[in-house]
């Protein structure tokens, strides 16, 4: 029996590799689930940052012309707003936050912060006591995958984070870990 995450990975692969739109009805039949399960899967896939478009003929994968880079950063809770605003003001999208915990291993949460409004909403949720920042379990060290329209934009973001003292140098094992990262 296929798990939900396995099914969603397969759905992504089917849509990406298809030369024509993939109907939800066909996906449901292929996986032996209802059309509603496929609709929910597509919503989860989109929430994970994949750009899948619904058409009247089926689902297609929107080929993004964007690039992404993983930044290792460290800052205080009070500096979260400055970090996020710096990234989005320069045209970046903060796709996630990741930590590598010595006991729990790799922990990742999807953020998709692409504007000051979304950054402020995220910060308000943290400050309201709903939770604490993930970075707090690793002495403030954490990573963000940042998406932008060009390497030049990512270079500007990197330089701005460096000037603010947030950016840290990644060790070789970290570079290898994130070089092969797959969000699907």
């Amino acid at each position: 029996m296929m798990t939900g995450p396995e099914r969603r990975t397969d759905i992504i692969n089917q849509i990406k590799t298809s030369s024509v739109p993939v109907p939800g009805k066909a996906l449901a039949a292929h996986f032996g689930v209802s059309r509603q399960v496929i609709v929910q899967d597509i919503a989860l896939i989109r929430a994970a940052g994949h750009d899948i478009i619904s058409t009247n003929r089926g689902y297609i994968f929107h080929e993004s012309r964007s690039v992404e880079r993983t930044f290792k950063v460290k800052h205080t809770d009070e500096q979260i707003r400055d970090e996020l605003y710096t990234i989005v003001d320069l045209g970046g999208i903060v796709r996630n936050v990741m930590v590598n915990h010595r006991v729990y291993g790799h922990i990742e949460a999807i953020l998709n912060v692409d504007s000051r409004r979304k950054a402020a909403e995220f910060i308000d949720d943290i400050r309201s006591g709903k939770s604490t920042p993930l970075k707090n379990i690793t002495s403030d060290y954490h990573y963000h995958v940042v998406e932008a329209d060009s390497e030049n934009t990512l270079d500007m973001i990197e330089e701005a984070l460096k000037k603010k003292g947030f950016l840290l140098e990644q060790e070789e094992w970290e570079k290898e870990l994130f070089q092969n990262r797959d969000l699907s």
Side-chain angles (χ1 to χ4, degrees):
M1 180 98 174
M2 183 178 276
T3 67
E6 290 170 337
R7 184 178 59 247
R8 288 185 284 281
T9 298
D10 200 8
I11 289 170
I12 291 167
N13 291 334
Q14 285 194 33
I15 295 171
K16 273 185 178 179
T17 58
S18 178
S19 59
V20 296
V22 180
K25 189 175 181 179
L27 289 170
H30 175 78
F31 293 109
V33 298
S34 69
R35 174 81 173 90
Q36 186 56 37
V37 168
I38 297 299
V39 169
Q40 291 168 348
D41 282 342
I42 296 293
L44 290 169
I45 291 167
R46 286 176 176 151
H50 295 279
D51 196 2
I52 293 182
I53 300 169
S54 300
T55 72
N56 61 349
R57 295 187 344 252
Y59 296 108
I60 60 173
F61 191 80
H62 180 254
E63 289 298 328
S64 174
R65 299 191 198 287
S66 64
V67 292
E68 62 181 35
R69 188 177 301 167
T70 302
F71 294 108
K72 180 180 181 182
V73 291
K74 181 179 180 181
H75 53 74
T76 66
D77 286 0
E78 293 75 30
Q79 294 170 314
I80 293 172
R81 180 183 309 273
D82 190 19
E83 176 205 37
L84 294 176
Y85 282 8
T86 297
I87 294 168
V88 300
D89 287 352
L90 290 170
I93 300 169
V94 184
R95 287 289 174 209
N96 66 2
V97 59
M98 302 176 289
V99 296
N100 283 316
H101 192 273
R102 290 183 181 170
V103 175
Y104 298 117
H106 180 84
I107 303 169
E108 178 176 347
I110 302 300
L111 298 180
N112 288 327
V113 173
D114 61 358
S115 66
R116 281 185 171 236
R117 180 184 56 78
K118 285 187 181 175
E121 288 171 0
F122 172 76
I123 294 160
D124 289 345
D125 284 347
I126 295 291
R127 290 204 175 131
S128 72
K130 286 185 180 179
S131 190
T132 59
L134 196 53
K135 70 177 190 60
N136 291 358
I137 66 171
T138 55
S139 304
D140 294 333
Y141 291 94
H142 60 290
Y143 309 85
H144 291 296
V145 171
V146 176
E147 181 183 325
D149 62 347
S150 68
E151 289 292 338
N152 185 50
T153 299
L154 290 173
D155 290 343
M156 290 188 306
I157 292 168
E158 184 171 329
E159 187 60 33
L161 292 172
K162 192 180 297 181
K163 280 182 183 174
K164 291 177 183 278
F166 298 155
L167 191 66
L168 300 173
E169 190 69 31
Q170 290 185 37
E171 296 179 32
E172 280 307 311
W173 68 268
E174 293 168 309
K175 290 176 184 175
E176 289 174 22
L177 175 70
F178 297 122
Q179 181 178 354
N180 299 319
R181 196 180 74 72
D182 182 4
L183 272 179
S184 56

